[in-house]
Amino acid sequence: VSVSRKACGARGASVIRAVLEATLDELARVGYTALTVENVAARAGVNKTTVYRRWPTRGELVEAALTAIAETAPLLQESGDVRLDLLAAARRMLAAMSSARGRGVLRMLLGGCAEPDLVALAFSIRKGFEAPARRMLERAALRGDLRSEIDPDLVLDAIGGWLIHTLFRERAAVAPERLAELVDLLLRGALVAAR
Amino acid sequence: VSVSRKACGARGASVIRAVLEATLDELARVGYTALTVENVAARAGVNKTTVYRRWPTRGELVEAALTAIAETAPLLQESGDVRLDLLAAARRMLAAMSSARGRGVLRMLLGGCAEPDLVALAFSIRKGFEAPARRMLERAALRGDLRSEIDPDLVLDAIGGWLIHTLFRERAAVAPERLAELVDLLLRGALVAAR
């Protein structure tokens, strides 16, 4: 029983992966409004009822596909050292943005090809993805490590923006030491003068 | 004589503007590799020899058109107060990115639709555009206002990246007070602890 369950689970997981990957491919091909469950099912090589059973609407299907990209990134491990923790959060953002499908969706958003519904969906998924890092920064502020007037979202947006600048505007690789330099700049600031 | 010269200059300027705008429109329509001086001239309603006389190659024409976007931004006025000066530099970047044609070119770059030659050209024009801000930060470091190990390019890239994040990923307007908050974060850092 345990063996057949395992096989069934593995088969289920590979169907899910195929459907979600087909969803992202269709999204890139036709956009959000024109995406149909039928075409996704055909591309994934599964029956459309298989798709409908799990994701009854296009919105749920696309949300699941976008969430799956974010889930390829490692969990955020918190050490209590704000510099190490912010660097880990930055690396996690980089991992989510760097996958082939993550890049595809980001290019769509940044190139202005994404419909407002998709932009809103991507925004809400990103906020969920960034929630552990936001809570980590809030805890650091409560410990007295961060200035209380600092908005964690601004810190995370500055990191995400710099990653987009590097990956999509300059089309360059992100050097680990440069990412550390950015985190250091955001934590320590550029000024010499005592605050 | 002076009146006719003025009229001639105004006519020349309007032809130049029409050709450069047509170049950006063609760039958005067909990309860099397929762009032809003939099509630009036709779109601008001028003779193609008028274009060739001033810009002998496609590369020079596209470079001039991209440079013209950057030139719509105000000059950088330097006060010697690094906070005011960095904020002015950030506003100047925002102005260059916010124009309709600036947005069009950036969407092309960020969406992955731009050929490598165009990416390289945009990179070199951006570096030229940012040169006054870079020199301003270098002077601030020489005065002892900024830590000597801070790379001015990282500071400018962090601002540019955050602007891209806001304008193109979130599709939001840039609130002046939020831009000031970002500049303050980059200068003072998020940490409470003395460095």
Side-chain angles (χ1 to χ4, degrees), chain A residues 114 126 170-171 188 195, chain B residues 114 126 170-171 188 195:
Chain A
R126 178 166 62 82
E170 300 204 326
R171 296 202 201 170
R188 297 179 61 203
R195 291 168 299 205
Chain B
R126 178 167 61 82
E170 301 204 325
R171 296 203 201 170
R188 298 179 60 202
R195 292 168 298 211

Side-chain angles (χ1 to χ4, degrees), chain B residues 156-192:
Chain B
L156 298 176
D157 289 352
I159 295 173
W162 183 81
L163 289 171
I164 287 174
H165 165 89
T166 306
L167 295 171
F168 296 92
R169 189 186 202 184
E170 301 204 325
R171 296 203 201 170
V174 171
E177 60 277 13
R178 190 69 166 174
L179 190 59
E181 215 182 316
L182 175 75
V183 165
D184 192 61
L185 173 66
L186 292 169
L187 287 175
R188 298 179 60 202
L191 283 184
V192 161

Side-chain angles (χ1 to χ4, degrees), chain A residues 107 111 114 119 123 126 145-147 151 157 161 165 169-171 178 186-193 195, chain B residues 107 111 114 123 126 145-147 151 157 161 165 169-171 178 186-193 195:
Chain A
R107 272 196 207 101
V119 174
F123 181 87
R126 178 166 62 82
D145 292 346
L146 296 186
R147 294 192 283 130
D151 180 350
D157 289 353
H165 165 89
R169 189 187 202 182
E170 300 204 326
R171 296 202 201 170
R178 191 69 165 174
L186 291 169
L187 287 175
R188 297 179 61 203
L191 283 185
V192 160
R195 291 168 299 205
Chain B
R107 272 197 208 99
F123 182 87
R126 178 167 61 82
D145 292 346
L146 297 186
R147 293 192 283 132
D151 180 350
D157 289 352
H165 165 89
R169 189 186 202 184
E170 301 204 325
R171 296 203 201 170
R178 190 69 166 174
L186 292 169
L187 287 175
R188 298 179 60 202
L191 283 184
V192 161
R195 292 168 298 211

Side-chain angles (χ1 to χ4, degrees), chain A residues 50-64:
Chain A
T50 306
V51 181
Y52 276 122
R53 203 179 309 132
R54 194 176 284 269
W55 304 283
T57 65
R58 169 175 54 204
E60 286 164 281
L61 180 59
V62 172
E63 183 173 348

